[in-house]
Amino acid sequence: MLSWAGIPPSQRGEQIDRILRLMDLSGSADKRVRYYSGGMVRRLEIGQAMFAYPKVLFLDEPTVGLDPVARKTVWDLVINLQESSPFTVLLTTHYMEEAEELCSRVAIMNHGKLAALGSPQQLKEATGKQGATLEDAFRFFSQEDYDERGSYRELRRTRRIAKRLS
């Protein structure tokens, strides 16, 4: 029989159980996902991404829309994965406090181009500002005011394009 995602059929159940335990979802395994909270759904999505033992785990804004408790749960999960898993975690976020808490290296992008790369501390120090935050570093390296990023019309257009592509 063919393997799915590189996992032989004889090992799938064991892998599913392992991920449910890791994601703290074993007690809800028999529930329909539509009854899961936002945090539970996010943990399930991360578990699904881990199913086939990736070399790099991509987490695209994993805490967007979560309440503070669910957000902290996801943060703890990411920290646990970084400490106990053999793969690299690549996380995208707009929350600078999240990047500072979870990331050993931060890349600041500006208009689709790499503007800076380094540890949170290195990026803060590069601003030359005493007591700089990672948000200060973002502003420093993007060299833009938020008001100059475009009009409401451009934002709506970008969102429509993104919706069509997803």
Side-chain angles (χ1 to χ4, degrees), residues 20 24-38 40-41 43-44:
L20 288 172
D24 195 25
L25 292 171
S26 294
S28 301
D30 60 341
K31 284 186 182 178
R32 294 190 179 269
V33 174
R34 70 178 171 203
Y35 298 115
Y36 279 20
S37 68
M40 292 169 74
V41 169
R43 292 192 325 260
L44 180 62

Side-chain angles (χ1 to χ4, degrees), residues 7-81:
I7 308 293
S10 61
Q11 296 175 10
R12 287 184 203 154
E14 181 181 318
Q15 176 69 341
I16 289 168
D17 290 341
R18 185 183 75 78
I19 288 174
L20 288 172
R21 278 191 311 277
L22 183 64
M23 299 295 123
D24 195 25
L25 292 171
S26 294
S28 301
D30 60 341
K31 284 186 182 178
R32 294 190 179 269
V33 174
R34 70 178 171 203
Y35 298 115
Y36 279 20
S37 68
M40 292 169 74
V41 169
R42 203 59 49 93
R43 292 192 325 260
L44 180 62
E45 291 170 342
I46 294 169
Q48 288 172 317
M50 292 172 43
F51 187 79
Y53 301 103
K55 291 183 181 178
V56 178
L57 178 63
F58 291 90
L59 300 177
D60 186 15
E61 304 211 24
T63 61
V64 166
L66 296 181
D67 64 68
V69 173
R71 187 174 184 215
K72 175 71 168 103
T73 301
V74 171
W75 279 24
D76 291 345
L77 173 63
V78 171
I79 290 168
N80 182 35
L81 290 174

Side-chain angles (χ1 to χ4, degrees), residues 98-154:
E98 185 167 83
E100 189 158 9
E101 178 74 21
L102 300 177
C103 301
S104 57
R105 287 183 30 177
V106 174
I108 295 176
M109 303 294 292
N110 186 26
H111 295 292
K113 294 185 176 146
L114 183 64
L117 176 66
S119 72
Q121 189 60 38
Q122 289 170 328
L123 297 175
K124 292 186 295 186
E125 288 172 359
T127 68
K129 180 180 172 184
Q130 185 77 353
T133 65
L134 200 52
E135 195 164 315
D136 293 327
F138 178 83
R139 287 189 189 109
F140 177 82
F141 287 108
S142 66
Q143 297 179 347
E144 288 188 52
D145 279 339
Y146 293 108
D147 295 339
E148 296 175 7
R149 289 197 176 183
S151 68
Y152 177 69
R153 180 180 294 174
E154 290 168 343

